[in-house]
């Protein structure tokens, strides 16, 4: 069954699909595991066909996380492709995520699973950096509080 969605949601679906496919094709071009990437591409296309915005957002977040492990030169090359295809790049996404994290911290609580995953991902990214110890503690406090009420 295909959902009815708004024009704005359709535009977001198309944007996220293009974003994901651009990253997947880049990974394959750079020697990534074709079987895995082909499967992820199938999931992206299937989510798009079913108008599954949540599924596409999850794929996008996962691929963005994967891209964080790329070399600086590969990130630069991918950013050029993403800017050409999608009008934005990984740097923009990082800034958006940082803004969302600041809003959550300022609010003092996590409102939903997406926010939870965003903070959890940030903690995973910075937990072993001693300079980020206070930030990790603040984020973990929010995560624990959310867990108490939602798990």
């Amino acid at each position: 069954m295909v959902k009815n969605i708004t024009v704005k949601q359709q535009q977001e679906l198309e944007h996220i699909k293009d974003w994901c496919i651009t990253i997947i094709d880049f990974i394959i071009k750079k020697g990534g595991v074709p079987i895995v990437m082909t499967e992820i591409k199938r999931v992206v296309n299937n989510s798009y066909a079913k108008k599954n915005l949540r599924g596409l957002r999850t794929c996008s977040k996962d691929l963005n996380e994967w891209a964080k492990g790329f070399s600086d030169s590969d990130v630069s090359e991918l950013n050029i492709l993403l800017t050409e295809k999608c009008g934005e790049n990984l740097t923009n996404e990082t800034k958006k995520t940082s803004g969302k994290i600041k809003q959550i911290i300022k609010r003092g609580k996590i409102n939903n699973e997406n926010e939870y995953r965003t903070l959890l991902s940030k903690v995973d990214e910075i937990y072993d950096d001693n300079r980020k110890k206070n930030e990790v503690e603040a984020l973990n406090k929010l995560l624990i509080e959310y867990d108490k009420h939602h798990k």
Side-chain angles (χ1 to χ4, degrees):
M1 182 171 104
V2 177
K3 300 181 211 174
N4 288 327
I5 60 172
T6 67
V7 171
K8 185 176 179 179
Q9 289 171 322
Q10 181 63 39
Q11 290 170 339
E12 184 179 356
L13 274 170
E14 290 172 17
H15 174 77
I16 295 172
K17 179 183 75 86
D18 290 346
W19 179 272
C20 290
I21 298 300
T22 301
I23 294 174
I24 291 166
D25 289 345
F26 179 81
I27 292 170
I28 291 170
K29 182 180 118 191
K30 290 294 185 174
V33 185
I35 293 171
V36 173
M37 290 298 111
T38 301
E39 181 60 21
I40 294 171
K41 190 183 256 189
R42 188 189 65 72
V43 169
V44 166
N45 286 322
N46 194 21
S47 294
Y48 176 78
K50 291 181 177 180
K51 300 185 185 311
N52 179 353
L53 197 49
R54 177 186 262 172
L56 272 179
R57 286 176 181 153
T58 300
C59 289
S60 177
K61 286 180 184 177
D62 289 347
L63 287 165
N64 291 347
E65 283 297 313
W66 199 331
K68 286 180 182 178
F70 295 171
S71 69
D72 289 345
S73 63
D74 281 350
V75 168
S76 294
E77 188 178 340
L78 179 57
N79 275 340
I80 291 168
L81 293 171
L82 288 168
T83 300
E84 288 171 357
K85 182 77 175 175
C86 303
E88 57 186 346
N89 59 45
L90 293 166
T91 304
N92 303 115
E93 286 298 307
T94 300
K95 287 178 185 175
K96 280 188 211 173
T97 301
S98 293
K100 287 177 187 174
I101 290 170
K102 286 178 185 175
Q103 285 179 329
I104 296 165
I105 291 169
K106 185 176 180 180
R107 182 185 330 123
K109 74 175 211 165
I110 298 169
N111 285 338
N112 56 51
E113 281 294 318
N114 284 339
E115 290 182 356
Y116 181 88
R117 283 191 297 275
T118 298
L119 293 190
L120 192 58
S121 175
K122 183 65 176 179
V123 169
D124 286 344
E125 180 184 324
I126 65 172
Y127 77 93
D128 60 352
D129 184 342
N130 286 332
R131 298 168 298 169
K132 306 278 186 170
K133 183 180 174 194
N134 290 339
E135 185 177 357
V136 169
E137 288 175 2
L139 296 177
N140 275 334
K141 184 178 176 186
L142 292 168
L143 291 165
I144 290 167
E145 194 60 33
Y146 185 82
D147 276 339
K148 281 184 194 175
H149 297 88
H150 297 91
K151 300 286 176 171

